[in-house]
Amino acid sequence: DAKTTQPNSMESNEEEPVHLPCNHSTISGTDYIHWYRQLPSQGPEYVIHGLTSNVNNRMASLAIAEDRKSSTLILHRATLRDAAVYYCIRMYNNNDMRFGAGTRLTVKP
Amino acid sequence: EAGVAQSPRYKIIEKRQSVAFWCNPISGHATLYWYQQILGQGPKLLIQFQNNGVVDDSQLPKDRFSAERLKGVDSTLKIQPAKLEDSAVYLCASSSPETGNTEAFFGQGTRLTVV
């Protein structure tokens, strides 16, 4: 039970922004939102996390809705190396890191 | 900084045999996870340790799977006896509770094929 809902797949053009949505309508006040991505034949890697406020790092931005029931991972300029499966995870008290099926992002040249 | 080390990288066994996987987490990381990833699916959490204690093993099939982390560092995951449906990649990850477990680091995984 991943407790989040994501589209199965999305496509993007290279060098364009990508907005990956995640629904977590049953989120509680202490749940953090984490994003990981998994490149082919590799283990998942951390992308970004947040609680209430929007967050930015060198890889991406995370926009969290005011009611916290949804969030969006933003890749500002997609590259071919960003093609991966992106997982949105709801973590209670920073434990219980359970993955869903994720969104498979395809980046077209 | 060395990453999470797992061995072996690949293993092929016959059904009903036993197998063990080893994980060495990043130095100082008290939290250690084991995941099972079947082809085409997201990783499934099997067990989470903090030091040598189990935090969550609710999804571990305890009739055939076992895991231990005796000294709070390395960990082993064992399957006995293996079934065909255990064919998957087994991933180990570690993180630090001191930073709120906010970034878990994953190993390359062990690909198990049961024939």
Side-chain angles (χ1 to χ4, degrees), chain A residues 33-83:
Chain A
I33 299 300
H34 292 240
W35 284 81
Y36 281 75
R37 72 179 186 181
Q38 188 170 24
L39 303 171
S41 301
Q42 295 189 25
E45 65 173 344
Y46 169 83
V47 177
I48 200 167
H49 79 282
L51 182 62
T52 55
S53 305
N54 294 344
V55 184
N56 301 295
N57 67 19
R58 62 175 180 81
M59 289 182 70
S61 295
L62 175 60
I64 300 174
E66 198 168 333
D67 63 6
R68 301 212 322 125
K69 293 184 176 182
S70 65
S71 61
T72 303
L73 179 70
I74 303 166
L75 306 180
H76 296 285
R77 288 181 70 235
T79 70
L80 297 179
R81 290 176 296 178
D82 291 322

Side-chain angles (χ1 to χ4, degrees), chain A residues 36 38 44 46 94-95 97-98, chain B residues 35 37 48 56 58 100 102 104:
Chain A
Y36 281 75
Q38 188 170 24
Y46 169 83
N94 283 325
N95 282 311
M97 190 168 68
R98 301 192 183 202
Chain B
Y35 289 86
Q37 187 169 26
Q48 177 184 343
D56 181 5
S58 57
T102 54

